[in-house]
């Protein structure tokens, strides 16, 4: 349960073989980019290594996984990437690998230190920044495939350098992997420019419900269960839609109400400073970050909207 | 009519005083960022300088212009920034300043070399990259206000580091201005995260017209004149909407048909490689770039759609 340096982490990896690298469940660009970049680097220094994840890897990430030879071997050493809490490996995996992770490479300040050794840089925008530095410490040459992995993690975790977690160092690492051939045209098109037809249909249905309140300072949209059926979209498609209300000019508090069951709704709140999404959702039994938070409410849609608007109003008046 | 080096450009500026800096008409983040960054740098070395533009500066750029003291003086020296062709200064300005521009600082490969001296780096994603280097060559310390200007030009001209004009150097300059305090949260929110309510209404009307053709390989949306009235949006709001058809999964050729007059339509085409938007629009009497091009067609909406689809079909078959 120790925090270790890049040098010590590189030393540990050099001592290991037959390494299983574990990504978190519902994998995103950062955990996959981290896992496959590290896997490629370990193979380059003669190790047997493969990547595993309890969820299926979305097809849009196929360029990250392709061309890598997934050796079969009995895993002896377990390394986690971008995993803040063992539970995030997914139910079965979390049980299977509890107390077995020798090294965890992460960037979450909230890391629970579940691994024997943790390489943590909480100032990094992405775990891929940490993995990039570790690969350099290992003395492995960053090739195009590794560069694509690292760029993917950095660009997805920063919303393509838009979010406030982006630092000067983020840009420096981006410049380095571009010099190594990262295909930013392809990656950014796949990550940010491609919307499925079912997503487009769901977005249109959701936009039809958009309403403004309190002189346009609050916007709310609603996603009901039947919209998934009508559009063919899944709940995982709603992330981008939940970002829309706050994007409207003049809106300080944006909210999305998603129906989970007939009488159960999830509310997502996004705010602009100084309005505190965590405080708003906290008042309704939830929590989160200052700019993005959530909660669950039971009742009819009217009840839920009523409670949301009362809470928003109290916060706007503060 | 000479191409000059950074050193020579810095020398020229040091010899000048009472400097009027000209931005192009319909100013964007790059020409304004360039103009105001240079103006602030020149004032820092004791020059009288101000920025001018033939169009009104959109209010979202107020953080770039604020706090700068706009001295009144009789201009003696004229410098253009991000201006590829004298005509882009706008009608009256183009006439007034023809043959008067002593220095033009630009990044367009298509620059017509209309100025007495041109500092040109066509590999730069933004004129602000060139201005940044020039300010460093001048020996002026980049402060927060200059950093905000430079970051604005770079992020707007690269779609926040997404477009293929982004280079490793673009990221390096971004990291440098972040270290000088560029407020990327505020800038990216204003430039990329804010949609007006009228834009949202127009987008919804336009999405209602979206149709797919050729097994989903082509998507077309239509913006009719009455939609501007219904939504309160302007034609300048349509840029982001025209990008939507190509963003749909599986679409190789995306098109938008905008009604200009009752029987006159502008078509914008965006493609994914290898489909050539310039070739498609060329066949309909227009032109442009490989991935984005346009043309105008006279006729009824049905006629226009018919011609567009025929041309698209021929290109998909190629």
């Amino acid at each position: 349960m120790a925090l270790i340096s890049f040098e010590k982490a590189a030393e540990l990896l050099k001592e290991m073989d037959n390494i299983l690298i574990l990504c978190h469940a519902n994998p995103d660009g950062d955990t996959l980019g981290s896992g496959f970049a590290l896997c490629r680097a370990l193979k380059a220094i003669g190790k047997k290594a493969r990547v595993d994840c309890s969820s299926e890897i979305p097809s849009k990430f196929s360029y990250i996984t392709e061309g890598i030879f997934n050796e079969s071997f009995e895993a002896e050493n377990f390394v986690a990437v971008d995993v803040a809490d063992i539970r995030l490996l997914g139910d079965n995996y979390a049980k299977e690998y509890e107390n077995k992770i020798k090294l965890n490479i992460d960037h979450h300040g909230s890391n629970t230190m579940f691994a024997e050794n943790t390489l943590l840089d909480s100032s990094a925008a992405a775990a891929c920044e940490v993995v990039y530095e570790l690969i350099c410490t290992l003395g492995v040459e960053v090739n195009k495939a590794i560069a694509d992995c690292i760029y993917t993690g950095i660009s997805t975790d920063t919303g393509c350098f838009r979010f406030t977690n982006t630092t000067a160092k983020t840009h420096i690492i981006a410049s380095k992997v571009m010099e190594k051939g990262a295909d930013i045209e392809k990656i950014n098109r796949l990550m940010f420019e491609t919307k499925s037809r079912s997503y487009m249909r769901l977005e249109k249905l959701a936009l039809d419900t958009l309403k403004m309140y309190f002189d346009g300072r609050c916007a709310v949209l609603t996603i009901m269960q039947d919209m998934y059926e009508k559009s063919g979209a899944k709940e995982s498609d709603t992330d981008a839609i939940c970002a829309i209300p706050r994007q409207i000019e003049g809106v300080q508090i944006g909210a999305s109400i998603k129906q989970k069951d007939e009488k159960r709704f999830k509310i997502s709140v996004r705010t602009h400073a100084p309005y505190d999404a965590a405080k708003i959702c906290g008042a309704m039994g939830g929590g989160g970050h200052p700019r993005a938070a959530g909660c669950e409410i039971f009742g009819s849609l009217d009840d839920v909207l009523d409670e949301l608007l009362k809470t928003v109003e109290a916060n706007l008046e503060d």
Side-chain angles (χ1 to χ4, degrees), chain A residues 244-263:
Chain A
I244 294 174
R246 188 184 57 180
Q247 289 170 358
I248 301 167
E249 195 177 6
V251 169
Q252 277 130 6
I253 300 174
S256 306
I257 303 175
K258 284 189 280 187
Q259 187 184 38
K260 306 286 282 186
D261 297 315
E262 205 198 324
K263 293 254 173 185

Side-chain angles (χ1 to χ4, degrees), chain A residues 22-38:
Chain A
L22 295 160
C23 297
H24 65 67
N26 306 313
D28 57 17
D30 194 26
T31 196
L32 292 172
S34 295
F36 283 90
L38 184 63

Side-chain angles (χ1 to χ4, degrees), chain A residues 20-24 36 50-55 57 93 97:
Chain A
L20 184 68
I21 302 166
L22 295 160
C23 297
H24 65 67
F36 283 90
R50 65 169 187 268
V51 180
D52 198 9
C53 178
S54 65
S55 320
I57 297 176
Y93 277 51
Y97 297 110

Side-chain angles (χ1 to χ4, degrees), chain A residues 79-313:
Chain A
V79 175
V81 282
D82 194 35
V83 179
D85 185 312
I86 186 87
R87 290 173 294 179
L88 298 174
L89 289 177
D91 273 355
N92 292 335
Y93 277 51
K95 271 177 217 146
E96 188 173 347
Y97 297 110
E98 209 179 351
N99 301 319
K100 282 191 190 161
I101 309 292
K102 195 166 273 181
L103 173 62
N104 185 16
I105 303 162
D106 191 28
H107 72 122
H108 294 94
S110 59
N111 190 291
T112 61
M113 304 288 288
F114 61 86
E116 198 179 321
N117 299 282
T118 304
L119 175 62
L120 179 72
D121 178 359
S122 61
S123 74
C128 272
E129 289 188 21
V130 189
V131 170
Y132 173 83
E133 279 198 81
L134 180 56
I135 289 172
C136 294
T137 309
L138 276 168
V140 175
E141 170 79 15
V142 172
N143 60 21
K144 185 192 172 300
I146 293 176
D148 279 346
C149 290
I150 300 293
Y151 185 86
T152 300
I154 290 177
S155 75
T156 52
D157 258 28
T158 60
C160 211
F161 309 96
R162 268 198 220 180
F163 302 158
T164 49
N165 59 353
T166 310
T167 67
K169 195 170 164 187
T170 311
H171 280 292
I172 288 169
I173 296 175
S175 78
K176 302 253 189 216
V177 295
M178 281 189 74
E179 278 164 1
K180 299 295 183 183
D183 188 349
I184 74 156
E185 178 176 13
K186 183 175 77 179
I187 297 170
N188 288 333
R189 172 160 51 79
L190 286 167
M191 298 300 120
F192 301 107
E193 292 277 318
T194 308
K195 298 176 176 179
S196 69
R197 291 168 70 169
S198 50
Y199 169 85
M200 295 290 297
R201 284 189 291 262
L202 182 64
E203 186 186 88
K204 206 155 87 61
L205 290 169
L207 283 179
D208 281 337
T209 71
L210 186 73
K211 287 222 177 69
M212 313 291 293
Y213 299 94
F214 309 120
D215 292 323
R217 296 167 71 199
C218 172
V220 180
L221 59 73
T222 311
I223 299 170
M224 302 298 280
Q225 282 289 332
D226 65 341
M227 292 184 188
Y228 297 120
E229 212 172 297
K230 276 187 202 157
S231 63
K234 293 182 208 138
E235 206 191 315
S236 59
D237 287 319
T238 59
D239 279 4
I241 295 175
C242 292
I244 294 174
R246 188 184 57 180
Q247 289 170 358
I248 301 167
E249 195 177 6
V251 169
Q252 277 130 6
I253 300 174
S256 306
I257 303 175
K258 284 189 280 187
Q259 187 184 38
K260 306 286 282 186
D261 297 315
E262 205 198 324
K263 293 254 173 185
R264 188 163 64 92
F265 293 84
K266 170 147 202 271
I267 298 181
S268 301
V269 173
R270 314 256 180 129
T271 60
H272 286 309
Y275 299 98
D276 187 338
K279 193 182 153 207
I280 293 167
C281 290
M284 296 184 288
H289 303 280
R291 298 286 85 77
C295 61
E296 263 195 17
I297 305 189
F298 292 82
S300 70
L301 178 59
D302 282 348
D303 295 342
V304 170
L305 182 63
D306 212 47
E307 180 161 353
L308 170 64
L309 292 179
K310 265 186 205 149
T311 314
V312 166
E313 190 172 22

